[in-house]
Amino acid sequence: MGEVIRVEDISRTYLMGEVRVPALRGVSLTVNEGDFLIITGRNGSGKSTFLHQLGLLDRPDTGRIFLRGRDVTSMHERMRAEIRLRDLGYIFQEFALISELTALENVMLPAMMLDGTASCKKRALAILEMLEMASLRDHLPSQLSGGEQQKVAIARALMNDPSLILADEPTANLDSVSAAEVLEIFRMLNSRGNHTIVMVTHEQEETVYGNRVIKLSDGRIVSETAGSAFL
Amino acid sequence: MRHLKRTNKWTLAFIIFLMSVAFINLVFINSLFQGVIETDHRQLISTTTGNIMLSPREEGALFGGVEDAVAKISRVEGITGVSDQIVLPAVIEREESRKNIEVWAVNPSREKRVTVIHEKVISGYYFRRDNEPGILIGKRIAYDEKPGGRSLIVKESKSVALQIAGESIELPVLGVFETLSDYADSRAYLPRSVIEDMFPEYRDKATRIIIKAAKRGGEEELVKKLKNTGLPGKFVTWQEASERSESLTESFVTINALLTSVGFMIAAVTIFIIMYVDITHKRLEIGILRALGIKSHIIATTFVLQTIVYSLFGVMVGAGLFFGIIMPYFRWKPFIIPIGDVKLAVVPADFISRAVAVVLVAIASGLIPAIISLRKRILDEILGR
């Protein structure tokens, strides 16, 4: 199994007014190809901050992050944007869809920067079909339920066929049925699509979907266990 | 475009409306001053100087051989009317009232071919014969508009006494004219036969000759042709003939430039605020696009294109309102100022430059907040911090 991402001793401190709040304190981790890594921890433990670092949405104060062996920590923002576009699929807790665009257009958005509209549309429709969302392709986000919106966000994350999918509490705003559907999609992507997945959650029962589970507390990894999927 | 189509229609309409108001503001100020300048020039040509004026080389001198001069000038191609004038200071009296005025002794039928005075008679009539004894007076002489003022109150068809160079004559008032130009409305016209009877030395002489051209704009070419007639005196265009008009034009051009600069600043600030608010509302969208890996220059270009579309629609709506409502309104109800009735006048080059300015300001107004937004941390954009 090749290494997808390696994190070496990263720290991140936020300034809240005049108070310095350490969110990550010397975290190191390696994610291998095919992993379904689940990050848990209480609110404020640093889970989302850590995922933001992996998703290249923020930079650590100290330490380094390697993506397929390339140091992305101090890379120019233009290059980091290119990596976000081609190699990473990020799924936000609040879906983060563009409200004026339809489901199909939202899915097509990242690929339109790389390919022509026609091939994007074909691929986007295929992904929506796979997620059983093709019939809702012309709906605006406001016309979709939370679960449907999250499926659109997942489809968008898959559009450029990234090697790593990062999901920040993707079920937090969903009812239990929708949440189960979304998690099944992740399981399928990991097992059949061979996508490496890193998912943040604070729902203990969701850890069964991962093959590795790490727990963060006060910005540090306090435990790592094998998930049920591994067993 | 798809994005714009799905933007809230009222928000879109409001943005375009504000853009159009900023554009109208710029165009209106300019058109108003152009209208004032145009009115001044039109009044000057049609009531006082004609398109070209022939005056003696020495100030206050008289021409001789007027009939011959008029005939020669009339033969020049592009000339449609020639009028010789004798301008004299006079005192007009009626009962207790008296006033110093200028009398313009003219050949009435020739004068009709150069000026519009005959069309501006508001009561009574213009001279029916070239030698009809009588006087045609401007409205500012005829009626006292200020209570207690010293203007002469004259009712048409009554006689007035006129003193010219120590000689006195009683003349019936044939009519009253009003051009709306204070300068023109403060003079009186007589047939030159009346002056020639009083002062035989004025026969075949004139203070100046005014000339009407077939069209405006080619005066300098005509002056060259007229100089070839060999007539003595100075041929000057209407611009050169009136220093007053030139300084008035310069003043209005300066005021126009100042107000236009202020207008540009107001338009720039207005458009900047509109676009800043609009783009600030799209911080989440910018954050999402950046998080997906869309390059910053593509995002900035998207917003700039959006502002270009807004501003083009703003200019189109503004132009529609301006030409469809504002211009016709002021044509129907012009501003009345002491030089005449002012309608809005559009100079195409000025109009286009203002439209371009609005679009350029909009581009800057879209680009600056977009760049500010793009320089923020992605997470701050997405989380609205």
Side-chain angles (χ1 to χ4, degrees):
Chain A
M1 288 283 180
E3 169 194 293
V4 177
I5 204 155
R6 188 170 83 246
V7 178
E8 288 183 356
D9 197 24
I10 62 166
S11 298
R12 183 75 171 102
T13 300
Y14 291 118
L15 205 59
M16 310 283 267
E18 291 184 2
V19 181
R20 294 173 70 82
V21 181
L24 294 175
R25 308 175 202 227
V27 177
S28 297
L29 179 80
T30 300
V31 180
N32 295 313
E33 238 168 67
D35 272 353
F36 190 157
L37 174 71
I38 292 189
I39 303 171
T40 64
R42 288 187 302 183
N43 284 342
S45 60
K47 311 185 289 292
S48 290
T49 304
F50 186 54
L51 202 71
H52 295 154
Q53 304 297 327
L54 299 184
L56 311 191
L57 300 179
D58 195 14
R59 293 179 196 258
D61 298 325
T62 59
R64 292 192 298 172
I65 300 170
F66 296 86
L67 191 72
R68 296 201 181 276
R70 286 168 75 197
D71 186 352
V72 294
T73 326
S74 53
M75 199 178 257
H76 191 277
E77 182 50 36
R78 207 181 309 121
M79 293 295 294
R80 285 164 63 93
E82 190 71 23
I83 291 171
R84 284 198 298 273
L85 185 66
R86 290 177 186 275
D87 299 329
L88 302 178
Y90 203 102
I91 297 155
F92 291 89
Q93 181 181 330
E94 299 87 2
F95 324 127
L97 300 175
I98 307 276
S99 55
E100 288 94 357
L101 300 183
T102 63
L104 180 65
E105 289 159 354
N106 264 289
V107 175
M108 286 166 65
L109 199 54
M112 282 172 77
M113 300 295 134
L114 302 173
D115 299 320
T117 309
S119 65
C120 290
K121 192 171 181 180
K122 205 172 162 189
R123 195 155 73 250
L125 279 170
I127 296 170
L128 284 172
E129 189 75 46
M130 180 183 81
L131 300 178
E132 295 171 358
M133 284 289 293
S135 61
L136 301 175
R137 65 187 180 187
D138 295 326
H139 284 54
L140 291 172
S142 58
Q143 297 164 325
L144 299 172
S145 69
E148 288 163 344
Q149 287 188 61
Q150 196 59 291
K151 283 185 187 176
V152 173
I154 293 168
R156 184 179 63 187
L158 294 172
M159 219 13 220
N160 287 339
D161 196 22
S163 54
L164 180 62
I165 293 171
L166 303 164
D168 189 4
E169 303 202 38
T171 60
N173 291 327
L174 306 183
D175 59 66
S176 57
V177 175
S178 301
E181 276 180 21
V182 165
L183 290 166
E184 278 307 321
I185 291 167
F186 284 137
R187 195 208 298 268
M188 178 193 74
L189 291 172
N190 180 243
S191 58
R192 283 194 238 158
N194 219 16
H195 285 93
T196 305
I197 297 174
V198 178
M199 184 177 93
V200 164
T201 183
H202 61 263
E203 303 289 345
Q204 196 56 40
E205 60 269 31
E206 291 181 1
T207 58
V208 297
Y209 287 87
N211 66 337
R212 290 170 67 196
V213 179
I214 63 165
K215 187 173 180 187
L216 282 176
S217 179
D218 295 331
R220 291 192 180 93
I221 296 176
V222 291
S223 69
E224 175 167 355
T225 54
S228 308
F230 185 73
L231 298 173
Chain B
M1 284 307 288
R2 196 176 298 153
H3 190 114
L4 286 177
K5 264 195 260 174
R6 293 194 191 124
T7 303
N8 181 299
K9 283 183 180 55
W10 289 109
T11 307
L12 191 63
F14 186 63
I15 290 172
I16 290 170
F17 174 71
L18 288 179
M19 290 266 192
S20 69
V21 168
F23 175 63
I24 288 171
N25 179 44
L26 281 178
V27 174
F28 181 77
I29 293 168
N30 185 259
S31 305
L32 180 60
F33 280 99
Q34 291 297 343
V36 171
I37 292 167
E38 171 56 28
T39 301
D40 181 54
H41 293 170
R42 179 171 39 84
Q43 291 280 55
L44 186 71
I45 294 167
S46 65
T47 67
T48 307
T49 63
N51 296 87
I52 295 166
M53 196 166 86
L54 173 62
S55 53
R57 293 211 177 272
E58 284 172 41
E59 189 100 6
L62 288 169
F63 287 111
V66 166
E67 290 302 318
D68 179 49
V70 168
K72 275 186 174 170
I73 294 168
S74 300
R75 283 198 290 272
V76 173
E77 198 188 334
I79 304 292
T80 58
V82 184
S83 175
D84 48 297
Q85 301 172 329
I86 303 167
V87 179
L88 294 166
V91 176
I92 190 167
E93 280 184 312
R94 186 172 180 268
E95 295 168 358
E96 300 289 299
S97 304
R98 55 187 277 134
K99 196 174 184 189
N100 294 320
I101 59 164
E102 262 185 2
V103 289
W104 292 33
V106 297
N107 176 316
S109 51
R110 283 183 191 157
E111 183 73 12
K112 266 174 91 169
R113 302 184 66 181
V114 180
T115 69
V116 294
I117 300 299
H118 63 285
E119 294 169 4
K120 303 293 178 182
V121 175
I122 53 170
S123 68
Y125 61 89
Y126 187 74
F127 306 100
R128 286 172 180 150
R129 304 186 316 272
D130 285 349
N131 60 356
E132 183 174 7
I135 186 166
L136 187 70
I137 57 178
K139 193 186 171 187
R140 285 180 66 83
I141 304 171
Y143 302 112
D144 187 4
E145 286 163 6
K146 293 176 196 163
R150 296 202 60 220
S151 296
L152 192 74
I153 301 168
V154 179
K155 297 286 178 202
E156 53 277 15
S157 306
K158 298 281 174 72
S159 292
V160 288
L162 204 61
Q163 286 177 28
I164 304 169
E167 296 285 326
S168 212
I169 187 169
E170 189 93 3
L171 287 168
V173 176
L174 301 179
V176 176
F177 66 89
E178 183 185 24
T179 64
L180 297 176
S181 158
D182 281 5
Y183 178 58
D185 292 344
S186 301
R187 70 174 78 123
Y189 284 86
L190 299 174
R192 67 176 297 138
S193 57
V194 170
I195 293 294
E196 286 173 356
D197 289 347
M198 288 172 79
F199 307 103
E201 64 271 28
Y202 280 107
R203 283 212 174 100
D204 204 29
K205 291 199 172 142
T207 312
R208 62 189 177 206
I209 295 173
I210 60 171
I211 301 159
K212 187 168 182 188
K215 61 175 182 357
R216 220 170 113 183
E219 285 88 352
E220 285 179 9
E221 279 300 308
L222 269 179
V223 165
K224 280 183 198 162
K225 283 189 195 170
L226 287 164
K227 279 179 180 168
N228 292 335
T229 58
L231 289 167
K234 247 183 343 187
F235 284 101
V236 289
T237 62
W238 60 270
Q239 292 103 321
E240 294 160 333
S242 173
E243 286 173 15
R244 180 193 68 86
S245 177
E246 203 175 326
S247 65
L248 188 76
T249 302
E250 277 174 19
S251 305
F252 279 127
V253 167
T254 308
I255 297 168
N256 186 17
L258 283 172
L259 289 179
T260 301
S261 308
V262 174
F264 270 124
M265 278 189 274
I266 293 170
V269 170
T270 308
I271 294 170
F272 186 83
I273 291 171
I274 298 165
M275 294 319 304
Y276 191 84
V277 171
D278 187 50
I279 291 176
T280 303
H281 271 100
K282 288 176 177 151
R283 280 181 67 191
L284 172 64
E285 191 178 310
I286 291 173
I288 293 168
L289 294 172
R290 290 176 69 197
L292 292 176
I294 314 290
K295 290 190 178 69
S296 296
H297 73 269
I298 294 173
I299 300 172
T301 307
T302 307
F303 283 99
V304 167
L305 287 176
Q306 193 175 309
T307 55
I308 290 173
V309 173
Y310 284 156
S311 59
L312 287 177
F313 274 109
V315 166
M316 282 193 279
V317 171
L321 291 172
F322 187 76
F323 288 114
I325 297 173
I326 298 170
M327 285 271 281
Y329 176 80
F330 284 104
R331 219 174 289 139
W332 172 60
K333 242 187 151 99
F335 293 109
I336 307 293
I337 61 171
I339 59 165
D341 52 337
V342 175
K343 297 170 186 119
L344 302 180
V346 175
V347 177
D350 288 354
F351 188 84
I352 292 165
S353 68
R354 276 148 184 81
V356 171
V358 166
V359 176
L360 291 178
V361 165
I363 289 172
S365 305
L367 194 58
I368 293 168
I371 288 173
I372 292 171
S373 204
L374 288 166
R375 285 190 172 174
K376 290 187 175 166
R377 291 173 65 232
I378 297 174
L379 289 172
D380 288 346
E381 296 288 294
I382 293 177
L383 303 174
R385 291 195 293 226

